[in-house]
Amino acid sequence: IACFWRSGSASGRHHITIKAASVLPIIFVSQTKIAKTVKKEETMIDLSFKNIKFGVVALGQYMDAAITISNMSKKALPLTYDCDVGCFEVLSPQTIIQGHSTTELNVRFTPSMQYSFESLLKVKCPTKPSARITLRLTGQGAAPSIDLSATKIDFGHVMVRQTATRTIQVKNNASFALKYVYKLAPEDGQYFTNMDLNDAFSVAQQSEWLEADKSGTAVVTFTPDHDALEWSSRLIIAAGEDGQKR
């Protein structure tokens, strides 16, 4: 707070002495990482830092943010966290931050609809009300978009103990990167098991990240160990089932 004193002058001029005092915040945000990418890292205290932007996240996926909080005081301080919108989830439990040390606060954004979401994250110290941080969290939910080169895989006739391979091209039509998951999920009544109880069908790569407008490949192999006419299974290609962890 600046304080002003005025001294009069017979010459018609006034000389004003300006004094001010600066106070360091007790707790502040020193670093943020979103999806393992450092968005802010300061050696100086930035009191203007108020926003954490998660960006666009596909429905069914999530994005994590790691927020580093620093304690400038010599004393240990208990911290509590409060977030008012369900799409933003505080993963870290309430904690005690030691003097002149840091602690990491983890927040997850999981959009439930194709909307823009906003919430306030409040970090409080019950024993020292003046020690508090309010952060604005924002994120956008978007629907994934998948284009497949085929909707059916037919291996035809394959010799016992021989291996056949088929591929499907998967294109990300969304305007943002997505993680695609490839897995086999046979339905009841489908015949897919070899004599050793292992699946005759397999997926070579179970997931991959595709940038916007880029294509990947789902590779399926078939290796039967006995004669049968009705081998069948089901391949599921999904965007975001394992979460958006990069």
Side-chain angles (χ1 to χ4, degrees), residues 163-220:
T163 298
T165 301
R166 299 289 186 272
T167 61
I168 289 182
Q169 296 299 308
V170 181
K171 184 179 180 181
N172 178 13
N173 285 331
S175 59
F176 47 90
L178 282 170
K179 182 179 182 180
Y180 288 86
V181 179
Y182 314 132
K183 70 176 184 178
L184 294 171
E187 296 179 327
D188 293 340
Q190 290 186 323
Y191 192 88
F192 61 92
T193 307
N194 278 324
M195 298 296 289
D196 60 4
L197 301 182
N198 291 320
D199 291 352
F201 300 98
S202 62
V203 179
Q205 183 180 5
Q206 296 186 350
S207 66
E208 65 177 328
W209 276 90
L210 296 180
E211 298 295 331
D213 203 37
K214 298 298 182 181
S215 297
T217 305
V219 181
V220 182

Side-chain angles (χ1 to χ4, degrees), residues 77-188:
L77 299 174
L79 296 182
T80 62
Y81 312 121
D82 180 33
C83 194
D84 57 6
V85 174
C87 289
F88 298 97
E89 178 187 3
V90 177
L91 303 178
S92 301
Q94 298 181 6
T95 187
I96 295 178
I97 181 173
Q98 299 300 317
H100 296 306
S101 66
T102 63
T103 188
E104 187 172 274
L105 169 59
N106 294 289
V107 181
R108 176 169 293 174
F109 172 52
T110 308
S112 57
M113 295 178 289
Q114 298 183 61
Y115 293 133
S116 296
F117 294 91
E118 180 177 332
S119 180
L120 292 178
L121 171 61
K122 298 178 181 179
V123 182
K124 302 178 181 179
C125 177
T127 61
K128 200 170 186 63
S130 61
R132 62 184 182 271
I133 302 171
T134 301
L135 297 172
R136 177 173 171 264
L137 310 178
T138 58
Q140 172 73 43
S145 179
I146 305 174
D147 186 20
L148 303 178
S149 61
T151 57
K152 182 179 180 180
I153 298 176
D154 187 356
F155 284 90
H157 291 83
V158 178
M159 295 290 293
V160 172
R161 303 192 184 282
Q162 298 296 311
T163 298
T165 301
R166 299 289 186 272
T167 61
I168 289 182
Q169 296 299 308
V170 181
K171 184 179 180 181
N172 178 13
N173 285 331
S175 59
F176 47 90
L178 282 170
K179 182 179 182 180
Y180 288 86
V181 179
Y182 314 132
K183 70 176 184 178
L184 294 171
E187 296 179 327
D188 293 340

